[in-house]
Amino acid sequence: MKIYGIDVDLKGGKVFSPTILVTDIENPDEDIDEDLLQIAYNNGYIVDVGYYGSFGNGKIKKPRVYVIKDADWENPVYTRETELNKQQLIEAIKQAIEVAVTAPD
């Protein structure tokens, strides 16, 4: 899969909500969808990429990448927040994919 023109090996994951493909993370606006990408794996892991924060409370929205096991959203096994930088976000996604595919079932 290409994200921002860079090949990302999903390692067998199934893609859901690929809003990231039409979102310019380096030039955000208030209308960016919180859900940017989900990649589901047969071992029960999900890589979730989102855009979190709020313009209204003084916080800057930033991309975050999570790895979730068995839908336990309260206890992610991996979390990384990045700056509004495509390369940083892609590297975080690649790391999360490695965690998801190499983690024990």
Side-chain angles (χ1 to χ4, degrees):
M1 171 181 202
K2 281 197 183 280
I3 301 175
Y4 302 129
I6 298 172
D7 284 320
V8 176
D9 183 357
L10 302 180
K11 301 188 184 233
K14 184 175 179 181
V15 173
F16 296 91
S17 306
T19 308
I20 196 169
L21 300 178
V22 295
T23 302
D24 184 357
I25 204 71
E26 292 178 344
N27 296 298
D29 62 38
E30 292 186 47
D31 295 330
I32 290 181
D33 189 17
E34 183 176 276
D35 300 320
L36 296 176
L37 177 68
Q38 282 192 349
I39 309 165
Y41 292 90
N42 289 336
N43 62 358
Y45 285 85
I46 295 172
V47 172
D48 181 72
V49 182
Y51 187 64
Y52 303 100
S54 171
F55 285 103
N57 66 8
K59 291 183 179 179
I60 296 174
K61 285 185 158 187
K62 291 188 176 184
R64 285 192 207 136
V65 181
Y66 296 98
V67 176
I68 307 298
K69 171 69 172 157
D70 294 331
D72 184 0
W73 292 91
E74 298 299 316
N75 299 296
V77 296
Y78 171 92
T79 303
R80 180 157 171 215
E81 183 175 275
T82 72
E83 296 301 319
L84 299 173
N85 178 287
K86 293 174 184 176
Q87 187 62 42
Q88 284 183 17
L89 181 56
I90 290 170
E91 288 306 314
I93 292 169
K94 288 179 177 180
Q95 288 174 356
I97 290 169
E98 283 302 314
V99 169
V101 299
T102 60
D105 288 344

